[in-house]
Amino acid sequence: MNEAVTRVEAADISAILKALPHRYPFLMVDRVIDIRGTEYGVGIKNVTANEPQFLGHFPEAPVFPGVLMIEGMAQTAGVLCMLSGDVGKPPYTVYFTTIDKAKFRKPVQPGDTIAYHMTRLAKRRNMWWFRGEAKVGDQVVAEAEVGAVVSGS
């Protein structure tokens, strides 16, 4: 079957805000690049010292929380799903449902740029699963498998 597909190769902050319900301070992705449909995409997060999590994690030696990297992976995957046009009728509700095989390899600090490399593992109806690697430069700093359910009205 040959279907007409709108190809999106990148999503700026405006497109992300249209695709996701998240807002500051809980938006963990600034843009998504290298989008290949729902198969693959890279979310970019610029880590800055003025983010609220650094008030308590940790004031003298700030470290970006690992769970927020997992959230950034899930948000990147969510953008890929929402931009695919394969999620039902708006308005959408996205529920993050699973985290598996999470590992944290190296601390991330203010000034770093995290690249969330997301690869789709599976899709069944309105359920999606992705494998993610968070990288700073060429170094993997975290990894996980995440799943979500997307529902429309």
Side-chain angles (χ1 to χ4, degrees), residues 54-63 109:
F54 295 126
L55 293 173
H57 199 270
F58 303 101
E60 299 302 317
V63 175
Q109 301 171 320

Side-chain angles (χ1 to χ4, degrees), residues 2-3 20-21 26 31 43 49 52 54-55 59 69 71 87 124 132 137 139-140 147 149 151-152:
N2 226 352
E3 296 180 10
L20 298 178
F26 209 69
R31 65 191 146 119
F54 295 126
L55 293 173
M69 282 189 271
E71 179 65 26
V87 293
R124 280 184 228 114
Q139 181 136 33
V140 175
V149 62
S151 63

Side-chain angles (χ1 to χ4, degrees), residues 4-22:
V5 175
T6 302
R7 295 186 61 89
V8 177
E9 295 179 0
D12 62 11
I13 192 65
S14 176
I16 292 168
L17 291 171
K18 288 177 186 171
L20 298 178
H22 305 80

Side-chain angles (χ1 to χ4, degrees), residues 16-113:
I16 292 168
L17 291 171
K18 288 177 186 171
L20 298 178
H22 305 80
R23 296 297 180 264
Y24 180 83
F26 209 69
L27 187 61
M28 295 295 140
V29 62
D30 297 319
R31 65 191 146 119
V32 182
I33 60 172
D34 200 16
I35 296 173
R36 300 176 201 159
T38 59
E39 297 297 318
Y40 179 81
V42 179
I44 304 296
K45 165 69 175 148
N46 297 303
V47 180
T48 62
N50 62 344
E51 295 180 49
Q53 61 269 16
F54 295 126
L55 293 173
H57 199 270
F58 303 101
E60 299 302 317
V63 175
F64 193 77
V67 295
L68 295 183
M69 282 189 271
I70 302 296
E71 179 65 26
M73 290 180 199
Q75 290 179 14
T76 299
V79 169
L80 298 177
C81 295
M82 292 298 127
L83 293 179
S84 73
D86 189 24
V87 293
K89 293 181 179 181
Y92 309 107
T93 305
V94 182
Y95 297 102
F96 187 8
T97 58
T98 63
I99 303 169
D100 294 305
K101 302 178 183 175
K103 295 182 180 167
F104 305 102
R105 306 275 183 202
K106 184 179 177 198
V108 174
Q109 301 171 320
D112 288 340
T113 297

